[in-house]
Amino acid sequence: MSLRLGAVQLLCRKMSTFSTVQRGAEATESFRLFFRNGNGAAISPFHDIPLLNDPDKHVFNMVCEVPRFSNAKMEMATKEPLNPIKQDIKKGKLRYVANVFPYHGYLWNYGAIPQTWEDPGHKDARTECNGDNDPIDVCEIGHRIGKRGDVIAVKLLGALAMIDEGETDWKIICIDVNDPLAEKLNDVADVEREMPGLLDATVRWFRVYKMPDGKPENKFAFNDEFQSAEFARSVVMETHEQWKALVNKQTSSELAISNTCLGNESSVDSEKADSTVSAAAETGPSAPISASVDTWRYC
């Protein structure tokens, strides 16, 4: 199965500089962060940002949804046109991850690899669980605290197979190729050598982060062990194929697949894409955040 690349998509591949446009107000349900390419055209971070930054060197693109040490659970709005980043909502409330002692917020720059999708109709033979219906998640472990909406060139170092409420929810460990440690890190063993304790902390964080909300601890395949960089690349490429099936309408889904670069029947012109951004709520000042977000929780 292949996805045809029209002239428009080839142009988008050359537009490696991306920017964001905020609509609505932070810490409210109205907040949306839209993306534009180097030409200023509105795009979907889910569908229009290329999977690969440098195919010859196995360098991938990552969209940063949650900067390290922050608590707001932000994610691409996969069911909305152009898939802006928004804050997740559960039971009518904005979601914040708890500070489970001794961790504050997320341990890494957290986000997703564009043009990937974990198909909920596909059972992974290795985990015996279906996908979680989202782009594949990544944890960028470099020294720089990213910004929401950053598009970061990363190399993959390993994979953790988390089972979240019966669904496969891969967590890919990666590092910014421009990080000072990037040359020394090529696989999970290198991470343990250069950044001792980080992988163990990552497993524990994912195991317990929902427990303060009354959820059971998460489980993992492969005896809680990280898999290799080669394994991680194979998982990402599998989810890329599942994404191709999604945008080519070869699988049924309620997700929004409008785009400006793929040159398929779901593509929209720049005028319609701009109207989607303009129709979102007016930009406003951030709302106050409850002090309870900074509370320590113990598990």
Side-chain angles (χ1 to χ4, degrees), residues 48-69:
D48 290 320
I49 295 176
L51 170 80
L52 288 160
N53 182 284
D54 188 336
D56 294 334
K57 296 182 179 179
H58 301 294
V59 176
F60 291 76
N61 281 317
M62 165 196 173
V63 177
C64 181
E65 297 164 321
V66 186
R68 187 167 76 241
F69 301 142

Side-chain angles (χ1 to χ4, degrees), residues 115-136:
Q115 297 189 344
T116 64
W117 179 54
E118 296 186 65
D119 183 354
H122 171 76
K123 178 178 285 189
D124 191 291
R126 295 155 298 198
T127 65
E128 298 186 347
C129 294
N130 290 38
D132 72 347
N133 204 29
D134 283 322
I136 203 164

